[in-house]
Amino acid sequence: MKVALDAMGGDFAPEAAIEGAKLAIQELPPDVQIVLVGKEDIITNLLSEKGVESDLIEIHNADEVIGMAEHPTKALSQKPNSSIAVGFGLLKSGYVQAFCSAGNTGAMHVGAMFTIKAIEGVIRPGIAGFVPKENGDFGVIIDVGANADCKPDVLMQFGQMGSIYAKNVFGIDDPKVGLMNLGEEEQKGTLLTQAAYQLFKIDKQLNFVGNIEGRDIFNDKADVIVCDGFTGNVILKFAESIYDILKKRNLLDPFFHKFNYEAIGGSPILGVNGNVVIGHGVSSGTAIKNMLLQAQRMAGSNVHLKIKESLGA
């Protein structure tokens, strides 16, 4: 198996990417190879500086870089030899089984939509995030930013894709799916959530537990939390802020350590024809390592193929 990493993506690239790859090869299975995509001379020099010599690392040259502030669509069309564009090309061709980047989030999303494309039958791919649970596990929350405005059938598919991910990557046998709302009662919420509730209620393949509230995010009431991208992004950023505040006050314990974005490393795009993980722009070497490990687990479980089998037209 080969997992591609955008070595030029992120606020601290390429140093953080190389450090992350160095850490990852110590934990990845011996049959997994990391393909570093970016400027070959820079990558080679950094690998040498960090004393990394391994058959598990390969370099694939890409002469251009998409900056964090560049317009995603324009940048991809104007920079066909960027590390993001080349990485998606490797994924589309099947040369690698997953692609990760802590670079321009918009470019990663647009690249996925226009290169490997959405799975036929998926209305809108979503970005999944992860929330720590009091029992020590992680739950899935989808969407966390790709789709600020959704329709009921889109939320329904988010629940289906999130459930497939939770089952195949997190190993949860029968994931409980909850719809984020402002009350538990069926008639509560906006017109969107009320209509979505009715769709969830008649889907016998999902373990739908009904509406959940903000206080249920970290308990075991739901393994998969469904919401629009606006709501999900607010929840995710709020959780990150809790970690930052507690860290400043030296009030952390193992549970709150999991609020740190580094613990998971990145957010997968679900509903596209390939395994894609987007990392935080400020990703450290540890975050990059965990992003690579997550991508390897996704590729190993063939989660995108299971979504295609379940939702594909």
Side-chain angles (χ1 to χ4, degrees), residues 265-281:
S267 298
I269 302 178
L270 302 184
V272 294
N273 288 294
N275 300 298
V276 181
V277 186
I278 303 174
H280 204 299

Side-chain angles (χ1 to χ4, degrees), residues 297-311:
R297 290 193 297 271
M298 288 177 64
S301 67
N302 287 318
V303 66
H304 72 292
L305 296 179
K306 290 180 170 64
I307 292 174
K308 185 174 184 177
E309 180 182 344
S310 177
L311 301 183

